[in-house]
Amino acid sequence: MVRSLVRSIPSLFPLLTVAGLILATLAVVGINLFAGKFYYCDIGTSSSLNITQIITKQVYNNRSIVFINFTLRIALKLE
Amino acid sequence: MRWVNSPYNLDDFFQSFLVFFMLVTGEAWDTVFQSAVNAVGIDMQPQSWANPWSSLAMFGFALVTNILISNLFVGVVIDNFKETKEEQSQFRNLSQNQKDWVDMQLFMQRRDLKVKFFEPENRIRSYCYRIAQSPYFQPFIIFVILFNTIILGANSASMSQQVSIAFTILNDVFLGFFHIEALIKICAWGMVYFKDKWNRYHSPQDLSLYLLLI
């Protein structure tokens, strides 16, 4: 068993190359689909939060509606 | 309150490669999924479930990376285990000549027959044939492919508008090159073109370039 593991090490190198090539292709596709789209407005901790802050965040980047995380949304509902 | 980037972004090649390596291990895949599904656009605040179709792309990525690649490694190890076991059980009783014979048979099983091309009689086709068979043709095409790969990899979110436009134009030029190459080869070889493995694997790259054109 151990012998077969040791023996399989040299045949793993071409496999690494193939895996790297597949990953590189996917990486290029990923760039073309999602580059620059993962930025978000970091609101910070919920303890230092009030409703005016949320409203200013809502107009962040000139977008009327923003996605607010779960706790913040509950806080907004409670106000 | 800051405008921050996700740590698992796909902005440039190395970052993207890292994220896909993470997907291979299955680490934090849900974060990447969420970012992709919530993504609205460049310089836009993500919105919950704004882009449901990107989940399909992410599932495709996960299928290829996490399931296919990681299983490939396991498969190779198991294959080697089987081979070692077979050698220990069967090959012990064979003489050296018999072993050589078995090796030769296995070697011949693995070999493919190479397609040989003949010069066509038509004047235009024979001209194409001479281009396709020239020793500079294939290296040139490989050079174009490598250059195209570099251009595709150099794509990133932080590049300027001009560079982006230049890359788009370059991609169109590359696509034109590959079409001309395919045309020349089809003219030169006829339907044998589609029997060559190189050409069969070459067309997916053309397809991916079509996707970029959209």
Side-chain angles (χ1 to χ4, degrees), chain B residues 168-185:
Chain B
T168 315
I169 293 168
L170 270 174
N171 277 332
D172 293 358
V173 171
F174 288 134
L175 190 60
F177 260 122
F178 295 140
H179 277 160
I180 292 166
E181 182 218 353
L183 213 68
I184 288 175
K185 280 189 175 171

Side-chain angles (χ1 to χ4, degrees), chain A residues 36 40-42 57 61 67, chain B residues 1-2 4 11 43 45-46:
Chain A
Y40 61 97
C41 177
D42 185 23
K57 272 157 224 151
N61 209 42
F67 172 52
Chain B
M1 187 168 62
R2 291 164 300 133
V4 290
D11 283 0
D43 282 338
Q45 173 69 17

Side-chain angles (χ1 to χ4, degrees), chain B residues 62-163:
Chain B
L63 202 77
V64 173
T65 55
N66 193 352
I67 296 171
L68 200 142
I69 293 181
S70 55
N71 276 317
L72 219 59
F73 281 90
V74 177
V76 164
V77 171
I78 287 174
D79 201 47
N80 264 288
F81 176 66
K82 250 173 84 183
E83 227 168 69
T84 320
K85 215 173 145 192
E86 248 170 42
E87 268 176 36
Q88 281 172 348
S89 60
Q90 301 173 352
F91 279 68
R92 204 182 285 160
N93 301 329
L94 296 178
S95 71
Q96 188 58 44
N97 281 344
Q98 283 169 323
K99 270 183 198 171
D100 288 346
W101 185 82
V102 169
D103 282 344
M104 194 63 204
Q105 292 292 321
L106 288 174
F107 176 76
M108 274 158 66
Q109 265 181 16
R110 267 186 268 128
R111 288 286 110 179
D112 291 338
L113 292 177
K114 228 181 165 186
V115 185
K116 201 175 179 214
F117 306 110
F118 297 100
E119 188 162 350
E121 279 161 23
N122 187 311
R123 205 162 54 84
I124 303 165
R125 284 189 65 190
S126 87
Y127 186 70
C128 287
Y129 177 84
R130 259 179 282 140
I131 294 175
Q133 295 295 107
S134 90
Y136 303 108
F137 186 69
Q138 201 71 349
F140 174 71
I141 290 297
I142 289 172
F143 171 76
V144 172
I145 290 171
L146 285 179
F147 195 56
N148 189 8
T149 316
I150 290 167
I151 289 293
L152 284 174
N155 233 333
S156 80
S158 55
M159 65 188 178
S160 67
Q161 191 72 33
Q162 286 166 318
V163 177

Side-chain angles (χ1 to χ4, degrees), chain A residues 31-43:
Chain A
I31 292 166
N32 282 293
L33 286 177
F34 298 115
K37 289 186 183 175
F38 287 4
Y39 282 85
Y40 61 97
C41 177
D42 185 23
I43 302 180

Side-chain angles (χ1 to χ4, degrees), chain A residues 1-5 7-9 11-13 15-44 53-54 56-58 60-61 63 65-68 73, chain B residues 1-6 8-13 16-17 20-21 24 32 35-36 38-39 41-48 54 57-58 61 64-65 68-69 72-73 76-77 80-81 83-84 87-88 152-153 155-157 212:
Chain A
M1 185 66 200
V2 176
R3 207 182 128 200
S4 74
L5 271 177
R7 271 177 51 130
S8 63
I9 289 171
S11 57
L12 283 181
F13 284 107
L15 197 62
L16 271 178
T17 325
V18 170
L21 279 173
I22 294 173
L23 280 187
T25 323
L26 288 182
V28 167
V29 176
I31 292 166
N32 282 293
L33 286 177
F34 298 115
K37 289 186 183 175
F38 287 4
Y39 282 85
Y40 61 97
C41 177
D42 185 23
I43 302 180
Q53 250 188 323
I54 292 175
T56 46
K57 272 157 224 151
Q58 274 186 320
Y60 199 102
N61 209 42
R63 301 289 147 191
I65 308 161
V66 297
F67 172 52
I68 307 169
R73 200 178 295 189
Chain B
M1 187 168 62
R2 291 164 300 133
W3 188 243
V4 290
N5 202 352
S6 164
Y8 312 120
N9 58 53
L10 302 171
D11 283 0
D12 56 42
F13 182 77
S16 191
F17 197 88
F20 281 107
F21 181 71
V24 171
V32 186
S35 311
N38 294 342
I42 294 162
D43 282 338
M44 287 200 202
Q45 173 69 17
Q47 245 172 299
S48 182
S54 66
M58 295 314 285
F61 291 155
V64 173
T65 55
L68 200 142
I69 293 181
L72 219 59
F73 281 90
V76 164
V77 171
N80 264 288
F81 176 66
E83 227 168 69
T84 320
E87 268 176 36
Q88 281 172 348
L152 284 174
N155 233 333
S156 80
L212 287 185

